[in-house]
Amino acid sequence: MPPAALPAPHYLLIRCPDEPGLIFRITGVLFRHGLNIVRNDEFVEPTGPTFFMRTEVAGDFQAEALLSELRAALPPAAEVQLGDPRPRNIVVMATKEHHCLSELLVRHAFDELGARILAVISNHALLGPLTTQFGVPFHHVSHEGLSRAQHEAAVRAVLDHYQPEYVVLAKYMRILSPEFVAPYADRLINIHHSSLPAFVGANPYGQAFERGVKIIGATAHFVNNELDQGPIIAQSIIPVDHTHSAADMAQAGRDVEKIVLARSLRLVFSGRVFVHHNKTIIFE
């Protein structure tokens, strides 16, 4: 009989101004609370300077007492969060392209996503049969005949019903207003092809083909108020050459997009990503 799996550890996320002795003080608090450090990662961002630390701990503890002592031991501006290994509650937004949504639905079905997909929202009905096949509620919120503000209000009504921790844009092809984005600061995740900003507008892979590019890539990032300019979470590329048609490049792009999006979600949901100004500190 195989041994029982150990429970996944909790993790601490700490951000504060850097100064001598921080790791000594933090680990001392953890020791006094009888906790074992399973893994520890730290980094000092030179501009500031700012100290970042992610620590996985095992053992029984009183959360409020632990956090209170940690905050007392750190500089007044310190941010201290305690994370747990539970799946995150998310809503996925999509339009017509299925590849990213399909990847997330399959991973969700086999408990490989680190999240519960509460629902899928789309401004087109096309992906409804795919979504419901996986037992996930599908909401068709059409934009036809509505202003952007009216359509976003209808989408927000669905999101407010589910109260997701994160919203994932799985090739959702509409620009979101600052008013929509604001309530989901650092909780709204998007995927796009890495040809941006070199090949903007319609048919980016056709443009890439005409230029004879040698790599196709994808970028997952948090959404902010500037189009595709939010803090980057994950990126990857795959090689292409002169034998690839525009359609081949588009397929290669879809392949890399779905993998990069899934990887970015794993990083975020496991508490490995700090947003710092307009970039990220990531402990993999």
Side-chain angles (χ1 to χ4, degrees):
M1 183 179 217
L6 295 174
H10 286 69
Y11 55 85
L12 283 164
L13 302 177
I14 297 173
R15 178 202 326 237
C16 66
D18 188 41
E19 62 183 38
L22 289 174
I23 296 175
F24 173 78
R25 281 178 264 165
I26 294 166
T27 55
V29 172
L30 299 178
F31 175 76
R32 287 192 292 276
H33 283 258
L35 292 171
N36 183 42
I37 296 175
V38 178
R39 173 174 172 170
N40 190 64
D41 296 281
E42 68 274 341
F43 174 73
V44 175
E45 169 65 36
T47 57
T50 305
F51 173 82
F52 298 87
M53 185 167 172
R54 182 186 186 276
T55 305
E56 295 184 6
V57 295
D60 296 325
F61 62 95
Q62 295 294 322
E64 288 305 318
L66 174 66
L67 294 173
S68 178
E69 188 172 343
L70 281 169
R71 292 184 179 113
L74 293 170
E79 300 173 19
V80 184
Q81 298 178 0
L82 179 64
D84 61 66
R86 65 176 176 80
R88 308 304 171 195
N89 291 324
I90 69 171
V91 168
V92 180
M93 295 174 61
T95 296
K96 291 183 176 180
E97 295 184 72
H98 72 83
H99 57 287
C100 286
L101 176 61
S102 299
E103 183 75 16
L104 300 185
L105 289 170
V106 170
R107 290 177 182 247
H108 178 255
F110 289 92
D111 295 324
E112 297 175 355
L113 189 58
R116 299 185 186 92
I117 301 179
L118 304 179
V120 172
I121 302 172
S122 178
N123 57 315
H124 291 273
L126 180 66
L127 300 178
L130 169 67
T131 302
T132 55
Q133 184 176 345
F134 284 87
V136 174
F138 180 83
H139 296 268
H140 174 211
V141 184
S142 176
H143 64 280
E144 296 292 339
L146 300 177
S147 67
R148 182 167 75 165
Q150 290 171 326
H151 182 246
E152 288 186 349
V155 173
R156 280 290 305 275
V158 179
L159 290 173
D160 289 346
H161 171 75
Y162 287 102
Q163 293 292 305
E165 295 170 85
Y166 293 92
V167 177
V168 179
L169 306 182
K171 304 300 291 182
Y172 183 70
M173 307 305 289
R174 288 179 63 82
I175 297 173
L176 299 173
S177 70
E179 293 75 20
F180 186 95
V181 171
Y184 299 101
D186 301 338
R187 298 191 296 129
L188 190 59
I189 300 168
N190 187 37
I191 183 71
H192 68 68
H193 56 86
S194 281
S195 297
L196 290 171
F199 303 111
V200 298
N203 194 23
Y205 292 109
Q207 297 178 59
F209 171 74
E210 292 296 330
R211 288 293 304 276
V213 301
K214 304 307 179 190
I215 57 172
I216 292 294
T219 297
H221 64 93
F222 291 107
V223 177
N224 62 13
N225 292 335
E226 297 186 37
L227 181 62
D228 295 330
Q229 299 296 313
I232 292 171
I233 306 167
Q235 294 178 297
S236 188
I237 59 171
I238 54 178
V240 294
D241 61 30
H242 62 277
T243 67
H244 288 74
S245 67
D248 294 333
M249 290 184 179
Q251 182 59 59
R254 289 190 288 270
D255 290 343
V256 71
E257 283 173 353
K258 65 185 182 182
I259 298 303
V260 170
L261 178 59
R263 177 169 166 250
S264 73
L265 299 184
R266 177 183 61 81
L267 292 170
V268 171
F269 298 159
S270 59
R272 299 180 183 277
V273 180
F274 288 87
V275 177
H276 185 56
H277 303 310
N278 199 43
K279 65 178 183 179
T280 56
I281 308 297
I282 297 179
F283 296 124
E284 292 204 55

